Amino acid sequence: MSVPVYTVSAQPHRDADTVVVLGLTTQGKELALRAPSEYASLRELADSVDASAAAESLTRLPNPDSTRAAVALIGLGTASVTLNALRDAAGSAVRKLAGKPVVEFAFDFASDAEVLATLEGALLGAYSFTRYKGASLDSLKQPAATIHIRTDRQIAASDLARVHEKARAMALVKDLVNTPANDLYPESFATIAEELCASDDSLHITVWDEQKLAKDGFGGILGVGKGSERPPRLVRISYAPQAGSAHIALVGKGITFDTGGLSLKSGPGMMGMKYDMTGAATALGVIRAASALALPITVTAWLCLAENMPSGRATRPNDILTIRGGKTVEVLNTDAEGRLVLADGLMAASEEQPDLIIDIATLTGAATTALGTRTVGVMGNTDEISHLVEVAGTSGENFWHMPLPAELRPLLNSDVADIANVKPGNTAGGMLIAACFLRDFVGNRSAHSDEATEQLPWIHLDIAGTANNGSGPYGFTAGGPTGVSVRALIDYIAGRAGLPSPYASAK
Ligand code: BES
Ligand code: ZN
Ligand code: ZN
């Protein structure tokens, strides 16, 4: 639930509590150690215990002296080790060594980026969520509370801080997502955001309750939230440092639980729908990191919070909602609710004329059909998409640029309103159609008389496939929430502030 303490120094952290993790690679048919020279003699031992250099394979070596640190070997694959291999190796080692309070990594690092990637993977792999463990807590092995990286490299404090804030932001997202919907609902989510902003002088928060939402015309958020006993909220958080030149708005889908509403999901289809607020949690984690890192750029986060429930007061199919700014939407399927709350959020964000709007949403099951569970779908109306996709790659994330085909928009024509929220019966291109819907709610750049009307630059991230790891753990990722897109967004925003990723120049 919190990020481990970490140290980086040339000194080994040797006491009986520590496990020292060394790297193991293959060179041809031979095993090779990726470790300081004092450990060279362990190579033969590694052979004799049949240690494997396969990625993420952990071998604990017999410890001849109980007063000294134990040693374990982690497989790094072939000798040309990538930064992602280091992140995953470190993360899986920390996961597999749960119960050991201190884990030291001594990989004989070849670059500063290797040190940072190893630290990053270790901090991420140490995440666990035990808030709801009662009687079984005592028997749980906790991941390391201290990570030590042994290197004589001098790593820039700002690079270490970047890695640490990414890990903190991802832990915050995972904590919020893991919290069940009986405890995390729009009002309690907004309170958490208020508390977080109260402890950071650089973050300023405004919360719309249901009365204020009605007064200000947020018909999408109100329409989705209507069926629930727990009223919706819109949260705006501003980070506006004096040095901030560019302005980036983050708009997060925050459905604290998605039953589908009256277009009710099936029992199995509803499983995991507490995850449907991941976009809002991501916006919150990222803006907190921007502030903690004092990035010289203005960021505004919009959290669109509602619980999508069926009831006698719920929005019905064929109801028409009026979104902020006056456009009307015929709701043909109440389960396509994310786009309704985001429509309000995008309109509100647009009014401030930011330089770029990025929305983050667990928007469509179709995202999984198209791209699987480890690749984020990226859509939008700006060339900046290719820049964001590239930055994500250097951050260690998989983003993929998907099209917004113009012929899809007419599928959403409504007989009675400006647009419908779905094309009933349509199953093709669901992720793209959702994005086409959102595009209608991206505002224009305030018209200058001599310029043609132009939409504000906007990027949409569909993280429905990637927000939750429903399979076994791998690398630094445990089962459950993944924190996807947090690292990419922090590096992208920092880059726009003139502070490129420390990984950008590395191999
Ligand atoms: N929250 C879901 C999308 C989702 C599905 C996220 C699976 C994570 C895993 C979203 O609100 C939804 O229900 N979308 C519908 C849209 C459809 C009605 C056009 C979907 O994808 O089925
Ligand atoms: Zn839904
Ligand atoms: Zn949803």
Side-chain angles (χ1 to χ4, degrees):
M1 292 190 279
S2 58
V3 174
V5 173
Y6 69 91
T7 50
V8 179
S9 80
Q11 302 308 315
H13 190 296
R14 270 188 209 146
D15 57 43
D17 274 350
T18 307
V19 180
V20 180
V21 180
L22 311 176
L24 197 60
T25 65
T26 45
Q27 251 158 7
K29 284 189 179 144
E30 298 283 293
L31 288 178
L33 277 181
R34 197 55 149 68
S37 54
E38 70 193 71
Y39 290 105
S41 64
L42 292 184
R43 206 200 65 84
E44 278 176 26
L45 186 57
D47 267 332
S48 67
V49 298
D50 268 343
S52 164
E56 300 182 32
S57 167
L58 185 87
T59 309
R60 300 185 63 168
L61 295 181
N63 189 0
D65 175 354
S66 63
T67 65
R68 292 197 37 190
V71 174
L73 307 173
I74 188 76
L76 300 174
T78 58
S80 59
V81 179
T82 63
L83 296 179
N84 267 344
L86 287 169
R87 290 183 183 101
D88 281 333
S92 68
V94 169
R95 280 194 299 100
K96 289 170 186 171
L97 291 168
K100 298 290 168 190
V102 186
V103 176
E104 170 179 325
F105 289 90
F107 282 168
D108 190 22
F109 298 99
S111 66
D112 291 3
E114 284 198 357
V115 176
L116 294 167
T118 302
L119 175 64
E120 183 176 311
L123 296 181
L124 297 178
Y127 178 81
S128 74
F129 184 75
T130 55
R131 195 184 299 153
Y132 292 84
K133 293 283 184 188
S136 58
L137 182 60
D138 288 348
S139 59
L140 273 184
K141 288 185 174 174
Q142 294 294 324
T146 303
I147 300 293
H148 179 61
I149 310 284
R150 183 180 164 193
T151 179
D152 50 16
R153 290 180 168 275
Q154 296 298 316
I155 311 294
S158 58
D159 291 345
L160 292 171
R162 175 93 64 102
V163 166
H164 184 233
E165 286 306 326
K166 284 180 186 172
R168 273 191 4 123
M170 282 172 71
L172 173 64
V173 172
K174 293 176 188 179
D175 282 352
L176 288 166
V177 176
N178 271 321
T179 304
N182 55 336
D183 282 342
L184 192 83
Y185 42 93
E187 194 179 0
S188 65
F189 195 146
T191 302
I192 291 170
E194 278 172 330
E195 286 166 0
L196 191 148
C197 294
S199 65
D200 184 333
D201 290 344
S202 304
L203 295 178
H204 301 283
I205 186 166
T206 312
V207 178
W208 280 257
D209 63 14
E210 59 273 35
Q211 287 81 28
K212 205 160 160 232
L213 285 167
K215 183 170 156 281
D216 289 346
F218 289 102
I221 295 173
L222 281 170
V224 172
K226 253 174 77 183
S228 172
E229 293 292 319
R230 303 180 186 281
R233 293 287 182 269
L234 173 65
V235 174
R236 174 187 184 272
I237 302 170
S238 156
Y239 168 65
Q242 295 215 312
S245 47
H247 176 192
I248 296 187
L250 303 172
V251 181
K253 171 177 174 181
I255 302 298
T256 54
F257 197 83
D258 183 11
T259 65
L262 288 174
S263 312
L264 195 65
K265 287 182 182 293
S266 67
M270 213 182 285
M271 286 293 297
M273 281 302 142
K274 69 172 183 176
Y275 281 79
D276 218 19
M277 36 55 70
T278 306
T282 302
L284 181 62
V286 169
I287 198 169
R288 183 182 72 176
S291 169
L293 294 168
L295 299 180
I297 184 166
T298 298
V299 183
T300 309
W302 298 87
L303 319 184
C304 308
L305 307 175
E307 186 181 54
N308 190 21
M309 298 288 275
S311 81
R313 285 187 311 192
T315 290
R316 295 154 287 253
N318 290 122
D319 279 1
I320 296 177
L321 305 178
T322 304
I323 304 300
R324 168 90 178 176
K327 275 190 194 162
T328 56
V329 182
E330 185 181 13
V331 178
L332 295 180
N333 187 324
T334 63
D335 196 12
E337 83 299 336
R339 59 196 78 179
L340 301 173
V341 300
L342 289 173
D344 273 340
L346 290 168
M347 289 299 296
S350 299
E351 287 167 22
E352 300 183 348
Q353 296 282 299
D355 298 295
L356 175 64
I357 302 173
I358 304 177
D359 78 72
I360 311 116
T362 49
L363 203 59
T364 64
T368 314
T369 310
L371 292 171
T373 57
R374 298 196 190 177
T375 303
V376 173
V378 190
M379 287 139 281
N381 63 2
T382 162
D383 292 343
E384 267 304 292
I385 291 175
S386 47
H387 182 200
L388 175 61
V389 169
E390 185 191 320
V391 169
T394 58
S395 310
E397 300 214 56
N398 300 317
F399 281 26
W400 195 259
H401 188 172
M402 299 295 284
L404 278 186
E407 72 275 13
L408 295 180
R409 171 60 184 82
L411 298 179
L412 298 175
N413 287 345
S414 162
D415 294 340
V416 286
D418 295 331
I419 189 170
N421 75 332
V422 298
K423 167 78 177 171
N426 180 82
T427 53
M431 172 168 63
L432 316 181
I433 292 177
C436 286
F437 177 93
L438 295 180
R439 180 163 55 182
D440 268 35
F441 298 91
V442 177
N444 290 330
R445 235 192 256 284
S446 291
H448 298 292
S449 51
D450 53 340
E451 281 176 33
T453 318
E454 184 194 354
Q455 254 193 333
L456 291 164
W458 155 72
I459 301 177
H460 162 57
L461 304 183
D462 194 333
I463 57 167
T466 49
N468 171 28
N469 173 24
S471 323
Y474 61 91
F476 56 75
T477 304
T482 60
V484 67
S485 84
V486 167
R487 291 174 299 148
L489 287 169
I490 292 172
D491 279 338
Y492 176 78
I493 291 171
R496 290 283 299 247
L499 301 164
S501 158
Y503 300 121
S505 54
K507 60 187 164 82

